[in-house]
Amino acid sequence: MKILYTTAGTATNGREGRVKTEDGKFDLQLSLPKSVGGPGGEGTNPEQLFSMGYSACFGGALALVARMQKVQTGPVQIEARVSLGQDESGGFGLAVELIGHIPNLPREQAEALMHAAHQVCPYSKATRGNIEVKLSVA
């Protein structure tokens, strides 16, 4: 693979610490949600951060596919719903639902673009076969 971009983020003290990027653009407090035994709080969590990265990346992949197919999508919003769960062995895992909001296209065409984007999105490639990813159109 030819590297096009590299960045770094650091987490200190796990899920109840801080995360920051090497360039200082993000420096965020983390809080463990009450639903997984934490105190809650004002901070974000890894699942929220992952949902934002995945939705942005997937939106970019969808725009690329649309350009390649010469499709004018109009406004596009991708919602990534990231769930943290516990598996049968007592370990933890993730599941994702990517919801495309593409109001200017017929549902069938929007669904086809979602599936095509899922084939080229780097996040989708990284998660393929590792976590359940569901695609839908609102």
Side-chain angles (χ1 to χ4, degrees):
M1 179 174 76
K2 177 183 172 189
I3 302 296
L4 301 175
Y5 173 73
T6 300
T7 189
T10 303
T12 304
N13 295 328
R15 288 181 165 269
E16 298 182 84
R18 293 194 77 75
V19 290
K20 62 182 178 178
T21 56
E22 66 183 348
D23 62 8
K25 290 183 180 181
F26 282 96
D27 185 349
L28 303 169
Q29 179 66 41
L30 297 175
S31 297
L32 189 62
K34 288 182 180 182
S35 65
V36 292
E42 296 297 315
T44 189
N45 60 65
E47 291 72 34
Q48 289 176 326
L49 297 170
F50 183 63
S51 72
M52 290 184 290
Y54 201 163
S55 62
C57 187
F58 195 87
L62 193 137
L64 173 69
V65 169
R67 278 193 309 274
M68 290 171 51
Q69 295 181 8
K70 296 181 177 24
V71 173
Q72 298 292 321
T73 63
V76 172
Q77 185 178 37
I78 302 297
E79 177 184 356
R81 299 185 59 79
V82 175
S83 299
L84 174 68
Q86 197 164 18
D87 61 26
E88 312 81 44
S89 69
F92 295 94
L94 297 175
V96 175
E97 181 179 9
L98 297 170
I99 305 164
H101 301 266
I102 313 169
N104 291 4
L105 293 182
R107 181 183 252 340
E108 187 174 289
Q109 189 175 23
E111 288 172 348
L113 278 178
M114 292 282 292
H115 286 279
H118 193 47
Q119 296 307 306
V120 299
C121 174
Y123 277 56
S124 291
K125 287 181 178 182
T127 59
R128 190 166 291 120
N130 297 311
I131 65 172
E132 177 186 345
V133 177
K134 178 183 174 188
L135 304 176
S136 64
V137 174

